[in-house]
Amino acid sequence: MGLTGDLWTFNVGCGGLEAIVHGLANGLLRQEDYHNITQCDSLEDMKLHLAGTDYGQFLQNEATLSSKVITERALDRLVNDFKWLRANAPWPLGEFLDYITYEYMIANVLKLISGARSGKGTLELLQKTHPLGQFEGIGALTAAQNIDDLYDLVLGDSPIGKFFQRTDRTDFDEFSMEYIRSLLHKNYLEHFYKFCEEIGGDTWMVMKDLLEFEADRFVVTLTRNTYGVKELQKDERKKLFPEVGQLVTVHEDLANIDDDDALKDKLRPFPDLYALVQDLSMDDPANSLENKFMEKSVQLHKDSLQRQFHYGSFFSLVKLRELEVNNLMWIAECIIQNHRHRINEYVNIFEA
Amino acid sequence: MGHGERYNGPEPEHEAASGLWRSETMNLVRIHVQREAAHDTIQQLGALGIAQFRDVNAAASSFNRQFSNDVRRCEDAERRLRYFEEQMKRAGKLPECRTGEDQEMVEQLDKLEERLESLEAELKESNANYERLLTQRNDAQEYKEVLNQDRSFFRGESPGGSSGLLDEGGADTSSTRTSGLRYITGVLPEAKHNLFERLLYRATRGNMFFRVNNTKDQFIDPATGKEVPKLVFVVFFGSRRAEEKIRKICESQQISTYPYSIDDDTNEELNKITDQLLTVNRTIDMTEGSRGQLLQTVAQNIYNWKKVVITEKSIYNILNLVNYQGQTAQAECWVPLRSMNGVREALAQAEQESKAQVPSFLEIIENTKEIKPTYYKTNKVSGSFQDIIDAYGMARYKEVNPGVLTIVTFPFLFGIMFGDVGHAFIMTIFAALLCKFEKKLQATKLNEIVQMVFSGRYLLLFMGMFAFWTGFLYNDMFGIMIGPFAPSGTERQPSNYWYFPESIADANEKCDDGYVAHITGREEIACPLKEGASVYSFGIDPSWAETSTKLAFMNSLKMKMAVILGVGQMFVGECLQLLNHIRCNDKKSIWFRWLPEVVFLMFTFGYMDVMIVIKWLTNWGVEMANGHGPPLLLGSMTDFFLAMGAVQDDAYLFGGTSMQTGIQSFLLLCAVLSVPLLLLPIPIIEYRNHKNEAQNYGGLHEDDEEAHGEGEEGEAWDFSEIVIHQIIHTIEHVLGCVSNTASYLRLWALSLAHAELSEVFWNFAWMLGLNNDNGTGITVFFFWSVWFAVTIGVLLLMESLSAFLHALRLHWVEFNGKFYYGDGYKFAPYDIPDLIPKPFVYVASFKDQE
């Protein structure tokens, strides 16, 4: 039954919070809401429509509307909801929620470093970081001049320090950045996976699927992105694969692959993954692998929200809400730039 | 039983019971006005608050409407007002809510918009200036703090110590370098102290020396306007590489650094900075002054502006519900019949004011299929009782309003449970004070719980008065029995009806003969006095106090009373149901719903009440002398149900065994027969009606069947649903008669609990102290305090709340359940004054934030 308790005891600590999560999930924009806001001629109309949803009066203090303002306020709403949940979470839910934020912290760290490399001001960079991925002293990252500094200065004390291992690379060239990103993400997934296993119970059952899918997605994407990259030795490539997921058994093979056909061949024993890659073609963006993975993950998150007595619903809510914010940004941008024909390319969370 | 049955007779202008007996007659009115006059017309109607507008363009989406642009303008103005409010809150300014027409309150929205826009721009500019100046001042102050530090601070010496970290060295070219050590000075917010030191430590791998000192001045954060404590710091380190890193860290943490040379004279710099500070401070004062004036103007007007904006926004929202065709606008609204003249006047006035060329007129739409809204014109007294009923469910249009009877029955049932002269007196006085000072209290913002009590003050007053009355019926005061109507000095006066003999001999002498035979050997039993003795004049004879049989007597009395009241109230409920059926001319329901229900209730539990009364009225002294003792009613009722009405063992109550058996058998037979009468006929009638209708219909209009299907019938006709509904209703009623009657026993239980608790508190919290007092009065003081506190806390607050809730339940479930549909919807007129916040509430909203 794990640390979270089960049918009998889960509600003692987390029943209220879980109920709120399910309530918030019910407030996700539905197909008809999307249908309405994609019909809008201006952002003002969009605001009017969103006022009728759970977003309510979130834009009421904005004098002028832009897609940036809409996105920021929508993100604020997500952050506020999340912070509220975090503030009320008992152990170990609190730690679980922290794990959700680590992913954003990693993204922020990399964003700051690469920004600082290209000579942008610290303040400007700090404003661009994701609000869920803030931690104390994050700004000092811009003072780091090489990878050792990075760890010494900030990461060592930060919550994501544990995902960072010393590497033999010391400079911030473009390739090392990608390398660090992959390394951190791999370690993040493995730690999170292990943590969920410790929690056990229904949480483990749900999160196992979600994280394994994330890991497989990461492995396949990484493999595809590193076809023929000379700097990355085959065995190093394998080192970046998280030791989680269905694909663990074929990591050795995947590390040696350099084209799509071989990839398809290797994925053949995994029907659900093979289904995603089988019609792969480089030309059709709407049919890209990224979109297919996205659709699949939306489905998994929705499934997780159908269940009760586990923490996975918190994770799924954050992910779906984040997608929703991205959708709003996309739609707002399309409205402003009058790209009507592309407005429906948002990620469909609830099919018609 | 849907909303289908409609009353088709003439609707009276005024209903009975000051118009509360049934809801107000509603008209669906269509108003035709010239397009230009629409705005004024809506405003006039809104000011009166007598019309509920219907959405004529329900199909149009919210941004496709005529005035959505104007609504947006109003929202923009609201946003500006919110900005002003926020600024006022920050500056600690309160709005001046001047009411009255002399103000510039009749400002047009167009003009107001411009004014708000320019004010907002001015205020924003002034704020930006102010923030910039504050930042300047903070920088100057910080620099000054650095310069003002004692020399020893920068040498790493402890204030009194001798040896410094740095030796006196020769002047160096770099201002931040001495004796081979570099250093950086600056000011940091106190909150970042630990983080900063840690970062420095990490960046230099521990090769640094860091120290801080408190600042003397206060720093105000320009963004929040709050004070921030800051620290002066100095950090020493070795290498140039480290300096670069440290500067980067300072930048990223937004910590300002200042050049400082340990060897140069700081006085000149210091003087310069002091002068600069003076200038900045002067400018800040000026900016603050002009900003203050600006806010003053805002504070004077903001309430009126808010009024205008709220009003205009609501008008445009209503205008969006109106249909426009060419030059005319058509609005549809519900108007109570009694307010029709008001609407006509408002139309005329608006027509005049807007100088419309086309006259406005209204038509009343007869025979509308729409469900009409329910509206009662209550006053402040009847309103609080009506709220109790509305909280259960809004009455169906024109059904009998239980709110009228509730005005009396609710406090009465409360009184039954709370009857105590002393407690009720305190409650009445409290409620009366609330009513007396209601004007004053209405104008202040009350605490949430007090507000709840305050809004129910008339309810509370009535409850207090009725409890006072029942308190006299019980002759109970703070749990002890009083005898205000007994002749003076009257313990066991012969004028009393009851007598408490001390011995058999005593009983033989004074008591009624019939009883004496029955009380062999038992002491302290009450018996009626010999004939001719008078009855205690009001309520329960206080002689019962201090007898061991008091509780038994009270229980029997209160229990029977509770059942009589319960069956009585349920019977009244059934009668109200009859009135509803008569009004709808619903014969089917009268004969097959109301009649069996009443028969079942009255022939069983009604009969039980009759028996109780008969037993009370019988002079058992005489009866017993004739060899006929009182039967146990419990046994009689059990036999009534289980022995088919037969009276067993000659335990008859009236008229002899055979007569009572005959009557009882008849009653029981009727009650049993009423069950199938309730269950069967209505579904059968419905079925036949439907069949006939379908036949007639099929023959007559075969072609437009589809139109009919969509229009009138609406839902599919489902026989099984009707049958199931009727079965449920029947079961509910039959079981309900038993359980609801039993439910009224709560009257007895609560009343008993109240009396017993009061008595216990009196005896143990107060009398105990009184008896043990040794003359100093300390014990008396202490015990009296305890007793008083418990009386207030437990009896007056908790007990009254529980009695209130039980009275509420009896009304909602037992009484309303007998007749009340409660599926209507409330008349919600468009009422402008109601939308505008009250001045004191508005001012209070500024105080809450602090």
Side-chain angles (χ1 to χ4, degrees), chain A residues 171-187:
Chain A
D171 294 325
F172 283 131
D173 57 52
E174 198 184 317
F175 178 71
S176 320
M177 293 293 291
E178 278 310 311
Y179 187 82
I180 296 172
R181 185 194 304 278
S182 306
L183 195 63
L184 284 172
H185 195 68
K186 162 203 156 91
N187 286 333

Side-chain angles (χ1 to χ4, degrees), chain A residues 211-225:
Chain A
L211 289 175
E212 284 187 347
F213 173 75
E214 288 296 325
D216 291 342
R217 173 188 185 171
F218 177 66
V219 168
V220 172
T221 317
L222 184 70
T223 309
R224 285 192 85 214
N225 289 345

Side-chain angles (χ1 to χ4, degrees), chain B residues 609-628:
Chain B
D609 284 358
V610 171
M611 288 210 291
I612 290 171
V613 175
I614 290 177
K615 191 178 170 187
W616 275 345
L617 293 182
T618 310
N619 186 343
W620 289 106
V622 176
E623 290 288 316
M624 280 195 285
N626 297 337
H628 171 221

Side-chain angles (χ1 to χ4, degrees), chain B residues 204-275:
Chain B
T204 58
R205 295 170 193 263
N207 292 324
M208 61 105 200
F209 178 72
F210 181 75
R211 75 186 295 186
V212 291
N213 203 356
N214 289 329
T215 52
K216 295 187 201 81
D217 279 339
Q218 294 171 332
F219 295 89
I220 291 167
D221 185 356
T224 59
K226 295 232 168 67
E227 217 174 276
V228 196
K230 291 199 174 181
L231 300 170
V232 181
F233 72 87
V234 57
V235 51
F236 300 95
F237 49 87
S239 68
R240 187 176 287 280
R241 232 174 95 80
E243 175 172 354
E244 202 179 310
K245 267 190 203 168
I246 293 175
R247 290 213 180 274
K248 260 271 162 63
I249 291 173
C250 290
E251 188 198 334
S252 73
Q253 296 298 318
Q254 296 161 55
I255 289 166
S256 13
T257 58
Y258 297 92
Y260 179 85
S261 164
I262 207 155
D263 306 306
D264 295 350
D265 190 16
T266 53
N267 278 341
E268 197 184 320
E269 221 23 52
L270 201 59
N271 288 338
K272 227 165 82 187
I273 211 81
T274 318
D275 285 351

